[in-house]
Amino acid sequence: MMTYFPEEVVEHIFGFLTAHCDRNAASLVCRAWYHVERMSRRRVFVGNCYAVRPERVAARFPAVRGSPTSPISTSSPPTGRPRRALDRGLRLLPAAAAAGGRGGRAGGGCGGGAPLEELRMKRMVVSDECLETLARSFPNFRALVLISCEGFSTHGLAAVATHCRHLREIDLQENEIEDRGPQWLSCFPESCTSLVSLNFACLKGEINVAALERLVSRCPNLRSLRLNRAVSVEALSRILMKAPQLVDLGTGSFWVDHRSEAFHRLISAIERCKSLRSLSGFWDASPLCLPAIYPICSNLTGLNLSYAPAIQGSDLIKLIRHCWKLQRLWVLDCIGDKGLAIVASTCKELQELRVFPSDIYGAGSATVTEEGLVAVSFGCPKLHSLLYFCHQMTNAALITVANNCPNFTRFRLCILEPKKPDPLTNQPLDEGFGAIVRSSKGLRRLSLSGLLTDQVFMYIGMYAKKLEMLSIAFAGDSDKGMLYVLNGCKNLRKLEIRDCPFGDGALLENVAKYETMRSLWMSSCDVTLGGCRALAAKMPMLNVEVINERDESEESEESPSDFHKVEKMYVYRTIAGPRDDAPDFVWIL
Amino acid sequence: MKGATCYKNDLENLRATELTLRPPGIDVEEVIRSASIATKCKKRALSEKKETDENEQATEPVAKAQIVGWPPIRAYRMNSFRSRKSLVVDDNNGGIYVKVSMDGVPYLRKIDLKIYEGYEELWRALEDMFKCSSLVPVNYDEPKYAITYEDKDGDWMLVGDVPWEMFISSCKRMRIMKGCEARGQSSSA
C-alpha cells in the first residue's frame, strides 16, 4: 500500500518517527523506504564511534543537522580505555561538514546542504582545531554539548564563541579543559543575545567576570547558567540581579562570610529568582552560608551537592528539610544514614538519588550503609534511578528495597570494597540483587558489586528481560555466570566486565549474541588471545580489539602465544571494518 | 606502549603547570604512586589478580588498597576530589602543622590544618583543645575572643576572611586573642 504514496507523503509520515530505533527499523523495509528515510533524517546518534566510518554517516544522511531537541551524538567506549590516542572527534566533524557540501572540504563552507546545528559528544577526544573547524564551517551552529571529553582548551571555546553568532547552548560537563586564559568569554560578540544555556562549571581557571556579566545582561532567554569555581559570591549576586529568570544555576565558589554585607546581597539576589528549580556548584560553600538559599528551596526539583564536601551531616539535614519538592538529589555520603532518613521523610517526590563517596581512601568519616537506602525506599515510592556508593550492603536490605520500589529503571550499587559479603550473614549478595531484578521489571541499567556467585547471574538471565546495560566487577565463579546473562537477557546492549573468572568458554559459546549487542568489554578476566582470535575468525561482522599495555622494559615478544591472557578486550559490531586510527597497543584481530 | 608512556608524561607536565592553591609537589607524588601501582599490576600475572587486595595492603600500609580504576568514578570527579583532600599519607609528607597560642594560657598547642574540612571544624577543634566554649563566631555578638593568624607576609589576619584552602596554604601560626585586644588592634589597622 505504502508504495503507492508519493515520497513526500512517506517522508511526512516518517517525520513522526523520532526514535532512532524506529527510524532504523523503517529504513530496513525496502529500498524505497531506505531512500526516503535517509534523505529526511535530521539527527544521528552514534552510540559507538568506532563502529562507523564518519564518511559513511555523512554520505548516508546528507540532511543531518541536529535539531533543537535532538543533536548529533556520539560516544566512545567505557572507562578503562585510554582515550588519549583516539581522535574520532576530529574526523567526525569534517565529515559532518562534508555532509552539507557533498564531499566538500571542511572549512570550505557547506555549499547548499543542511548545516550542522547541534553536536553532543561523550568521552571523546576533541581538539581545539576540531572546535575551530566546527565553528568556521557552521556559522549557524546552535548547541555544543561535551561530556567527559578532553584534549581541548579555552582557545577552542573562543573559536566557537567568535564564529557561531546564533549560539544557544554551550554545555561543558565534567571535561578536562586546558586553561589558556579567560579571554574566551569576551569573544561572544555584542550581537550575541541568543544564549539559553551556558555551563562552564568544569573550567579550572579564572574567567573575565565583567564580560560574563555583560553577556548575561544581553541574553534575556538565558535559562541555565553554571559557573565555575572562580566566580565569587559578589559576582554571583550581580549576575542573579541581571538574570532573575534563571531556571538552573551552578553557583560558582559560593564562599562568603555570613556576617558580611555580601551575604545579605546574595540573599536578596537569590530571593528574586522565583523560577529557580535546580542548583549545583557550592564548591567552597560552608554550612553557615547555606541559609542564603532557604528562600527558594521549596521550589527546587534538582539539587547537586556532590562537589561540596564541607557541608556535612547536620547542615545537610537542615537544608534538605526545606526541599520537599526534590525530584533529583546528588549528594556525598557524608549525608549519612541519618541524613538519608530525613530525605526519605521530606522528599516524597524523589525520583533520582545519587550518593557519591567523599572519602575513598577510607579515613573513616561518616558514610552511608544499607540503612540509609532502606529508609529512602520506604519514604520515596517514586524512586526509579539510583547510584549508591556505600561501605556495606545486606541481602535483607536489598530485598526490602526491592519490595518498596518496584519501578527501578537504573540501579547501580557500588560497595567500595570488592567482593564484600553481607556483613550480617557473611553470604554473597545474590539473593539481594535477585530480588531487585525480579521486582523491577522495567530495569534497563544495572551495576553489581559485593561478593557474588554465578547464582546472581542466573537470576539476571531469568528476570532482567528489559536490561540493556550491565556492569560487573569482581563477581562470579565460572563461565556459567556470563552465559546466563548472554543467553537470558534478550535486550542486552552493553556488557562491561572486569576482574571476573570468565574465559574463552563463556566468550565463544554464544557468539551470535554479540551481533545483537552494541558492545562487550572485558578486562582482567580469563579470556586468552587464542579465544579472541577464534571469535574474530568466527564473526567477521565483529571488530575484536585487544589491548595489552606492556612495559617497554619487557622484551618484545615476536608473537604472544594463544594462551596469553588478554588485559583488555573490546568487541563490537560494525559494518565499517577494522578501524585505522587505533594506537600501537591496540591489536585488531 | 609508547602511547601510554607519552600520555603519562604529558599528564605530568600538564599537572605541573596547573594553577592551584595546594602546596606544590603533591600531584607529582600522586602520579608516581599511581604509576607504580599500575606497574605492579601489569607485572603481576593475571592469575594473581585475585590477591591484589592483600598484596597492595602489604606494600601500602598507610593508604587503603587502591585497585586501578576502582571505585568506578569519573576521572573528572576523582581529580577534583584529589585536589581537595589530602591523601592519607605520613604526617611528615602531608600535614600542615601550625602553632596555636591563646592569650592567658601558658603553653602553646600544635594542630594539623589538613585534617579539617573547613572553618567550622577548626573552630570546634580549637574550642575543644582550649576548653573554651565561645570561639565559634556568632552573628552580631561582640566576640570574646578573636582567632588570628600570621600569614606568609608576616601580617596578622582575622581567621575566616578567605576561602579555606587559601587560608591553610598561607597560615604560618595562629593566635587566639582576647576580643577587646582584637578590637583595639583592628581600630588602629
Side-chain angles (χ1 to χ4, degrees):
Chain A
M1 207 35 124
M2 287 288 281
T3 52
Y4 296 122
F5 290 166
E7 273 189 15
E8 294 80 14
V9 175
V10 178
E11 186 178 325
H12 180 73
I13 296 173
F14 282 176
F16 294 102
L17 292 179
T18 48
H20 296 291
C21 49
D22 292 336
R23 290 205 75 116
N24 289 344
S27 69
L28 292 174
V29 169
C30 62
R31 274 193 212 283
W33 280 29
Y34 177 87
H35 177 72
V36 172
E37 195 282 319
R38 76 174 256 263
M39 295 308 282
S40 62
R41 193 182 296 215
R42 290 274 180 265
R43 59 193 180 103
V44 162
F45 170 65
V46 178
N48 180 353
C49 65
Y50 296 159
V52 298
R53 286 192 193 284
E55 302 77 20
R56 275 202 70 146
V57 175
R60 177 173 167 187
F61 301 115
V64 154
R65 72 172 73 198
S67 69
T69 52
S70 337
I72 294 183
S73 312
T74 73
S75 112
S76 77
T79 53
R81 187 161 186 79
R83 289 189 291 285
R84 179 74 173 187
L86 316 172
D87 212 6
R88 287 250 150 175
L90 178 62
R91 289 183 52 189
L92 271 166
L93 288 184
R102 296 226 147 247
R105 287 182 58 74
C110 42
L116 187 64
E117 287 183 7
E118 292 205 16
L119 192 66
R120 183 181 190 273
M121 310 248 254
K122 189 172 180 185
R123 281 194 298 266
M124 306 280 283
V125 172
V126 179
S127 64
D128 284 342
E129 290 76 29
C130 180
L131 290 173
E132 184 137 7
T133 302
L134 173 79
R136 285 185 189 280
S137 311
F138 302 110
N140 267 335
F141 189 74
R142 306 274 158 155
L144 179 68
V145 179
L146 299 175
I147 305 171
S148 294
C149 297
E150 57 180 3
F152 63 106
S153 77
T154 47
H155 281 191
L157 299 179
V160 175
T162 307
H163 300 291
C164 303
R165 308 256 145 168
H166 305 286
L167 208 52
R168 271 208 310 262
E169 181 178 350
I170 292 191
D171 186 1
L172 308 169
Q173 295 178 32
E174 298 190 333
N175 303 290
E176 292 291 342
I177 305 175
E178 192 190 337
D179 175 37
R180 289 167 77 181
Q183 317 87 316
W184 66 280
L185 265 172
S186 321
C187 292
F188 285 97
E190 288 302 313
S191 58
C192 173
T193 56
S194 48
L195 270 185
V196 171
S197 166
L198 178 61
N199 171 7
F200 58 91
C202 62
L203 269 185
K204 289 191 264 251
E206 294 298 317
I207 56 140
N208 184 333
V209 174
L212 174 63
E213 290 182 43
R214 283 196 303 274
L215 180 62
V216 169
S217 304
R218 64 179 186 271
C219 292
N221 296 321
L222 195 65
R223 290 281 167 274
S224 167
L225 179 64
R226 296 193 185 182
L227 310 170
N228 73 344
R229 203 168 171 188
V231 179
S232 68
V233 142
E234 287 82 1
L236 173 65
S237 300
R238 290 195 299 271
I239 288 168
L240 289 179
M241 295 299 276
K242 299 186 162 96
Q245 77 282 3
L246 282 178
V247 170
D248 167 57
L249 174 68
T251 65
S253 161
F254 212 75
W255 195 91
V256 66
D257 184 339
H258 65 283
R259 296 160 295 187
S260 65
E261 270 299 306
F263 183 65
H264 296 286
R265 276 196 292 274
L266 176 67
I267 295 182
S268 318
I270 290 184
E271 270 172 346
R272 295 178 73 227
C273 298
K274 307 272 187 235
S275 306
L276 262 187
R277 294 290 173 269
S278 153
L279 283 182
S280 59
F282 300 101
W283 301 99
D284 295 305
S286 85
L288 293 168
C289 50
L290 280 186
I293 64 169
Y294 287 176
I296 47 111
C297 277
S298 55
N299 295 333
L300 290 182
T301 56
L303 183 58
N304 180 356
L305 293 165
S306 65
Y307 285 100
I311 305 175
Q312 310 223 352
S314 55
D315 305 296
L316 265 179
I317 289 174
K318 269 191 254 169
L319 174 62
I320 301 273
R321 283 194 198 279
H322 289 81
C323 305
W324 52 276
K325 277 200 195 144
L326 270 189
Q327 295 173 14
R328 183 178 49 86
L329 176 62
W330 294 20
V331 284
L332 292 170
D333 60 3
C334 43
I335 191 174
D337 288 330
K338 284 215 187 86
L340 287 177
I342 302 299
V343 170
S345 61
T346 312
C347 309
K348 296 305 185 186
E349 302 297 314
L350 197 67
Q351 297 179 24
E352 176 183 330
L353 175 66
R354 296 196 190 189
V355 180
F356 293 96
S358 55
D359 187 1
I360 59 176
Y361 300 114
S365 49
T367 59
V368 296
T369 68
E370 73 276 8
E371 285 180 25
L373 184 59
V374 167
V376 171
S377 76
F378 274 115
C380 307
K382 297 187 183 177
L383 189 67
H384 66 78
S385 173
L386 180 74
L387 171 62
Y388 198 77
F389 286 85
C390 59
H391 284 250
Q392 65 179 50
M393 185 54 59
T394 66
N395 281 310
L398 283 174
I399 292 169
T400 306
V401 169
N403 288 337
N404 292 341
C405 296
N407 299 316
F408 278 114
T409 53
R410 293 187 195 83
F411 190 89
R412 293 190 281 165
L413 181 67
C414 180
I415 303 164
L416 288 167
E417 189 187 316
K419 299 199 197 174
K420 185 161 184 180
D422 178 336
L424 291 182
T425 63
N426 231 28
Q427 294 296 302
L429 292 174
D430 302 332
E431 297 307 312
F433 279 105
I436 296 285
V437 293
R438 217 173 6 244
S439 115
S440 286
K441 305 203 182 340
L443 193 66
R444 291 198 314 261
R445 182 169 180 183
L446 177 65
S447 297
L448 307 171
S449 58
L451 183 65
L452 296 165
T453 71
D454 286 344
Q455 182 72 10
V456 73
F457 299 113
M458 192 184 92
Y459 290 142
I460 292 173
M462 240 196 308
Y463 296 111
K465 292 306 183 189
K466 294 269 170 69
L467 194 65
E468 295 175 5
M469 180 166 172
L470 179 62
S471 304
I472 311 171
F474 305 100
D477 307 311
S478 73
D479 287 346
K480 278 203 297 200
M482 184 167 158
L483 287 172
Y484 284 135
V485 172
L486 290 177
N487 296 334
C489 297
K490 299 287 169 236
N491 281 302
L492 196 63
R493 287 208 215 143
K494 283 169 69 168
L495 182 57
E496 304 176 333
I497 308 176
R498 67 165 286 180
D499 292 278
C500 295
F502 304 143
D504 296 339
L507 183 69
L508 296 172
E509 166 103 3
N510 184 358
V511 293
K513 177 71 177 173
Y514 306 131
E515 273 199 325
T516 69
M517 289 167 53
R518 194 189 294 169
S519 64
L520 167 68
W521 166 275
M522 291 179 76
S523 68
S524 304
C525 296
D526 292 344
V527 169
T528 70
L529 194 53
C532 295
R533 287 194 170 127
L535 178 60
K538 263 190 190 177
M539 303 292 292
M541 295 305 268
L542 297 178
N543 272 358
V544 179
E545 300 189 5
V546 163
I547 300 166
N548 275 317
E549 284 159 315
R550 296 188 310 219
D551 259 333
E552 280 186 26
S553 56
E554 284 183 21
E555 16 182 301
S556 55
E557 299 171 34
E558 283 286 338
S559 137
S561 93
D562 273 0
F563 296 112
H564 181 88
K565 284 188 187 165
V566 306
E567 276 177 35
K568 297 176 186 174
M569 180 200 74
Y570 187 53
V571 176
Y572 55 96
R573 64 181 178 191
T574 178
I575 53 172
R579 59 190 179 106
D580 53 11
D581 58 357
D584 288 345
F585 48 83
V586 175
W587 304 341
I588 302 182
L589 302 178
Chain B
M1 284 95 45
K2 251 195 189 163
T5 320
C6 281
Y7 174 66
K8 286 208 171 75
N9 286 340
D10 285 354
L11 203 58
E12 276 187 46
N13 290 338
L14 198 64
R15 287 224 172 106
T17 59
E18 186 183 334
L19 291 176
T20 93
L21 291 178
R22 65 179 179 274
I26 281 194
D27 227 20
V28 175
E29 283 171 18
E30 271 178 24
V31 171
I32 293 172
R33 203 143 153 276
S34 60
S36 76
I37 290 172
T39 316
K40 277 182 199 145
C41 281
K42 278 183 238 162
K43 288 196 169 141
R44 203 176 288 133
L46 279 166
S47 57
E48 288 169 35
K49 268 267 156 73
K50 282 163 195 156
E51 296 158 43
T52 295
D53 282 27
E54 299 157 33
N55 285 343
E56 285 189 332
Q57 267 168 359
T59 52
E60 304 277 351
V62 181
K64 199 152 186 166
Q66 289 176 36
I67 300 168
V68 175
W70 189 263
I73 298 178
R74 270 189 196 166
Y76 175 81
R77 189 176 283 278
M78 281 291 266
N79 291 339
S80 93
F81 183 85
R82 276 197 196 117
S83 75
R84 284 173 165 273
K85 296 205 72 140
S86 57
L87 296 177
V88 181
V89 290
D90 265 34
D91 290 335
N92 289 337
N93 285 342
I96 298 182
Y97 281 89
V98 298
K99 289 183 188 168
V100 184
S101 64
M102 179 164 175
D103 289 359
V105 177
Y107 51 85
L108 275 59
R109 302 295 300 264
K110 215 159 196 190
I111 58 173
D112 177 3
L113 291 178
K114 278 229 149 179
I115 66 175
Y116 305 112
E117 285 283 2
Y119 288 117
E120 283 284 292
E121 274 188 46
L122 173 65
W123 285 320
R124 292 204 176 108
L126 289 175
E127 277 182 358
D128 215 35
M129 205 178 250
F130 290 99
K131 304 285 180 275
C132 169
S133 57
S134 55
L135 288 182
V136 181
V138 179
N139 276 339
Y140 305 124
D141 283 356
E142 298 289 2
K144 266 207 196 153
Y145 289 96
I147 311 182
T148 61
Y149 70 102
E150 184 183 359
D151 72 359
K152 284 199 170 99
D153 303 323
D155 297 322
W156 284 91
M157 321 277 291
L158 190 67
V159 167
D161 284 338
V162 300
W164 173 253
E165 280 171 33
M166 195 190 288
F167 163 68
I168 62 174
S169 66
S170 59
C171 172
K172 289 275 152 286
R173 63 162 122 162
M174 294 172 60
R175 177 182 163 198
I176 306 174
M177 54 172 59
K178 291 218 169 65
C180 48
E181 212 184 303
R183 284 189 287 285
Q185 258 194 354
S186 58
S187 68
S188 66

